[in-house]
Amino acid sequence: MRIIRAKDYSDMSRKAANILSAQVIMQPDAVLGCATGGTPVGIYRQLIEWYQRGDLDFSEVTTVNLDEYRGISRESEQSYWHFMHSNFFDHVNIAPERIHLPEGSNLNAQEVCRAYTEMIRSVGGIDLQLLGIGTDGHIGFNEPNTVFEMDTHCVDLTESTVEANKRFFARKEDVPRQAYTMGIRDIMQARRVLMVASGADKAKIVRQAFFGPVTPAVPASILQIHPDFTLIVDQEAAAEI
């Protein structure tokens, strides 16, 4: 495990974007695992800036997103499909056929999860997976549990996750209660994993996840045993380590 300390959110975003851009430059046909939420937005903005300057080319890149809400269409402004296009995909030259997210509008969970697991294998696995971390230690939508869920699966979202995501919806009641997410095995099989954590509200879980026991009660803790894991934290998120 490698820990990189950043001064603030902007510095964290730039440091993470440096790692992602290096992956694309050194491996133009890389498979990038993408994440949603507020934390990665600064990373995507930096990558867009470098692309617009002519420093990056995403034409051969394949993207595989961590998750999508169940029961939500791609056309919805709250879907992760929409989030990724508005914050990243629409601003760079990623080929549409190389973009992959779980099909949230399909309510057949078994079908969606099986197809997504097979898709990850068909593209040769993930070269670099970007992650955030929830205040309860969830990665993707892998919530605290008694076991590590292995493959892509449908999950019931915890109240803390619904609370954290309600800012993206008009009302808390509109937040979906289920999601499709990559499993822990999907994430752990990525050749490299990069996590970003920002803000004082992440300090406690950063300490628990990476300086405590490996346990499914803190899903991110499994990353302690990943062979190529980098954590980038700003000063606030690093306050307890």
Side-chain angles (χ1 to χ4, degrees), residues 5 17 45 55 94 116 122 139 153 157 159 166 187 199 203 230 232 237:
R5 295 173 183 261
R45 286 176 182 163
D55 296 331
I94 291 178
Y116 208 66
S122 74
I139 48 177
H153 58 285
L157 303 183
E159 187 61 28
K166 71 178 183 181
I187 294 169
T230 299
I232 305 180

Side-chain angles (χ1 to χ4, degrees), residues 5-59:
R5 295 173 183 261
K7 292 179 294 185
D8 52 26
Y9 177 80
S10 178
D11 187 37
M12 179 205 72
S13 299
R14 187 177 181 86
K15 283 178 165 59
N18 275 330
I19 293 173
L20 282 160
S21 62
Q23 183 77 38
V24 173
I25 291 168
M26 297 301 293
Q27 185 187 0
D29 63 348
V31 178
L32 300 181
C34 295
T36 54
T39 307
V41 170
I43 300 169
Y44 297 139
R45 286 176 182 163
Q46 184 64 76
L47 293 173
I48 292 166
E49 180 183 328
W50 288 336
Y51 164 75
Q52 291 175 341
R53 280 192 344 211
D55 296 331
L56 288 174
D57 176 13
F58 294 94
S59 62

Side-chain angles (χ1 to χ4, degrees), residues 68-71 106-110 112-114 141-143 145 149 151-157 177-183:
E68 178 60 279
Y69 290 118
R70 181 173 184 254
N106 186 347
L107 298 181
N108 186 329
Q110 185 177 7
V112 172
C113 296
R114 182 177 63 251
F141 275 129
N142 290 282
E143 303 280 16
N145 204 339
E149 293 281 358
D151 295 319
T152 303
H153 58 285
C154 182
V155 62
D156 295 325
L157 303 183
R177 266 36 183 193
Q178 290 185 314
Y180 299 125
T181 184
M182 281 190 207

Side-chain angles (χ1 to χ4, degrees), residues 31 62-65 98-102 112-126 152 182:
V31 178
T62 296
T63 64
V64 178
N65 259 73
R98 294 179 180 271
I99 294 170
H100 302 282
L101 290 88
V112 172
C113 296
R114 182 177 63 251
Y116 208 66
T117 296
E118 291 174 355
M119 180 278 300
I120 295 171
R121 292 170 182 161
S122 74
V123 299
I126 298 165
T152 303
M182 281 190 207

Side-chain angles (χ1 to χ4, degrees), residues 8-9 12 39 133 196-202 206 232-234 236-237:
D8 52 26
Y9 177 80
M12 179 205 72
T39 307
I133 183 171
V196 287
S198 174
D201 62 330
K202 299 295 176 71
V206 165
I232 305 180
V233 284
D234 65 11
E236 290 185 335

Side-chain angles (χ1 to χ4, degrees), residues 120-195:
I120 295 171
R121 292 170 182 161
S122 74
V123 299
I126 298 165
D127 294 303
L128 175 56
Q129 176 65 56
L130 176 64
L131 296 174
I133 183 171
T135 54
D136 60 359
H138 74 255
I139 48 177
F141 275 129
N142 290 282
E143 303 280 16
N145 204 339
T146 56
V147 295
F148 288 112
E149 293 281 358
M150 292 292 102
D151 295 319
T152 303
H153 58 285
C154 182
V155 62
D156 295 325
L157 303 183
T158 64
E159 187 61 28
S160 64
T161 297
V162 171
E163 185 69 25
N165 288 354
K166 71 178 183 181
R167 68 188 188 278
F168 300 113
F169 293 80
R171 303 175 305 157
K172 181 178 177 181
E173 293 74 20
D174 297 332
V175 183
R177 266 36 183 193
Q178 290 185 314
Y180 299 125
T181 184
M182 281 190 207
I184 295 297
R185 177 162 50 199
D186 299 321
I187 294 169
M188 291 295 287
Q189 287 181 340
R191 295 170 186 88
R192 303 173 66 193
V193 177
L194 171 63
M195 175 180 282

